[in-house]
Amino acid sequence: RIYLSPPHLSGAELGLLEQALASNWIAPLGPQVDAFEAEFSSVVSVKHCVALSSGTAALHLALRLAGVGPGDEVIVPTYTFFSTAGSVSRVGATPVFVDIDPTTYQIDPDSIRRVLAGRKPGAVKALMPVHLFGQAADLDAIMAIADEHDLRVVEDAAQAFGTEDVRGRRVGSVGDIGTF
């Protein structure tokens, strides 16, 4: 069997949990979350980071921060978790599905171009590449398309934490907003 996401525990988790409980910083936040955000920002080479309760919450917030809302369209891949399109709908926008590359399972830039060619200028507000299975989507092509059409890019890198593209750029730090 090959598991999609087996846990990787170091053995220190129980002690860290006891430390958090003993500090009485359970809610709303505390020094452990601040430390996590600072270390995570450093690891993924971004200036700012905020920890949320789920990847779905992160996508929702990222779309809001990107200014996506009712009446907007967001290009998303057909092959992903429900949260990708669900977060687009949650902000009142419409997900526009595009094909994936059958060899990489990543969003297909040519499919993005075809969909944009058939859309009224300005209808599509953002692109949401999803970096799957520890692989980076074609960020060069995606960012070129985004620049050409003045689109925001919200990267979903939940399945690719630490992954770099072919130029050595960390996924989640190339678009306007990345989510892990």
Side-chain angles (χ1 to χ4, degrees), residues 8 64-65 71 92 118 124 126 146 149 151 160 167 169:
H8 297 282
R64 296 281 308 265
L65 291 171
V124 176
H149 294 274
L151 303 174
R167 289 191 173 180
R169 298 174 297 194

Side-chain angles (χ1 to χ4, degrees), residues 21-44:
L21 292 171
S23 74
N24 209 30
W25 277 103
I26 307 292
L29 295 172
Q32 292 88 355
V33 174
D34 294 340
F36 172 80
E37 291 172 345
E39 186 173 347
F40 198 90
S41 293
S42 175
V43 168
V44 297

Side-chain angles (χ1 to χ4, degrees), residues 66 85 98 160 164 166:
V98 299
E164 295 179 351
V166 294

Side-chain angles (χ1 to χ4, degrees), residues 50 52-70 72 74 76 81-93 126 128 154-158 177-180:
V50 65
L52 299 172
S53 61
S54 68
T56 303
L59 291 173
H60 180 237
L61 179 60
L63 287 167
R64 296 281 308 265
L65 291 171
V68 176
D72 294 328
V74 178
V76 300
F81 188 67
F82 170 78
S83 293
T84 308
S87 62
V88 172
S89 296
R90 179 90 169 120
V91 298
M128 189 184 291
V154 175
E155 293 178 74
D156 179 347
I177 301 170
T179 63
F180 293 95

Side-chain angles (χ1 to χ4, degrees), residues 106-160:
Q106 308 302 309
I107 195 168
D108 179 24
D110 290 332
S111 184
I112 295 170
R113 287 185 190 94
R114 284 191 300 275
V115 165
L116 285 169
R119 289 285 195 278
K120 179 178 139 189
V124 176
K125 177 87 173 225
L127 298 172
M128 189 184 291
V130 180
H131 307 285
L132 290 174
F133 310 120
Q135 296 185 72
D138 185 346
L139 292 173
D140 285 340
I142 290 166
M143 296 310 293
I145 293 167
D147 289 344
E148 181 182 335
H149 294 274
D150 194 29
L151 303 174
R152 304 297 302 267
V153 177
V154 175
E155 293 178 74
D156 179 347
Q159 290 191 30

